[in-house]
Amino acid sequence: MTFQTKQFGIVLKNARMDKKMTQAELAEALDISLSYLKDLEGFRHHPSYELFIKIIRYFNLSADTVIYPNKNQNSDTYQQIKRLLTRCNEEQLHVILATSEALLAKSNTETESHAE
């Protein structure tokens, strides 16, 4: 499993605070030591696969939140696109997917050519 320790720590701390839990309460609920939880939230350790699953289930989080963090999810444009996608049929979604992939591929190609 690959993810950034910092991203995981941020997500974990935010989820705990959203539930208005102390670190001690969460450590007890997860059956881990308080110092280990502090290390997780402080970006000093990453959890085992089993603990990762336990945490995302406990907080009802998407694993993608940690593994593929989305820098844009709070932007107005992102939210508008997300709302519009719910109104698309399967064919329209395929067109949007192909367009997005082509746009990102073009952007990556341009970035690589500027680096040379």
Side-chain angles (χ1 to χ4, degrees), residues 14-101:
N14 287 341
R16 176 181 60 78
M17 294 178 78
D18 286 347
K19 276 200 163 194
K20 299 181 182 358
M21 296 180 79
T22 65
Q23 287 179 320
E25 291 169 332
L26 180 57
E28 185 177 332
L30 296 174
D31 195 28
I32 60 174
S33 71
L34 177 58
S35 62
Y36 185 58
L37 177 62
K38 288 180 179 183
D39 284 346
L40 291 172
E41 287 188 0
F43 325 131
R44 290 179 290 280
H45 290 291
H46 62 273
S48 66
Y49 175 76
E50 292 78 15
L51 182 58
F52 176 74
I53 297 300
K54 191 174 189 177
I55 290 168
I56 63 172
R57 286 183 178 159
Y58 184 83
F59 289 113
N60 194 28
L61 298 171
S62 164
D64 285 348
T65 303
V66 178
I67 298 171
Y68 303 109
N70 185 340
K71 298 174 279 195
N72 299 318
Q73 72 186 36
N74 293 325
S75 81
D76 290 336
T77 304
Y78 179 85
Q79 293 302 321
Q80 285 176 312
I81 292 169
K82 192 173 167 183
R83 281 190 296 276
L84 289 171
L85 288 174
T86 64
R87 297 172 42 200
C88 294
N89 63 33
E90 191 66 24
E91 183 180 338
Q92 292 165 327
L93 289 172
H94 282 290
V95 170
I96 292 168
L97 176 61
T99 304
S100 299
E101 288 173 339

Side-chain angles (χ1 to χ4, degrees), residues 71 102-116:
K71 298 174 279 195
L103 179 64
L104 291 172
K106 183 178 184 324
S107 177
N108 288 339
T109 303
E110 288 175 356
T111 302
E112 290 171 4
S113 67
H114 288 298
E116 294 173 355

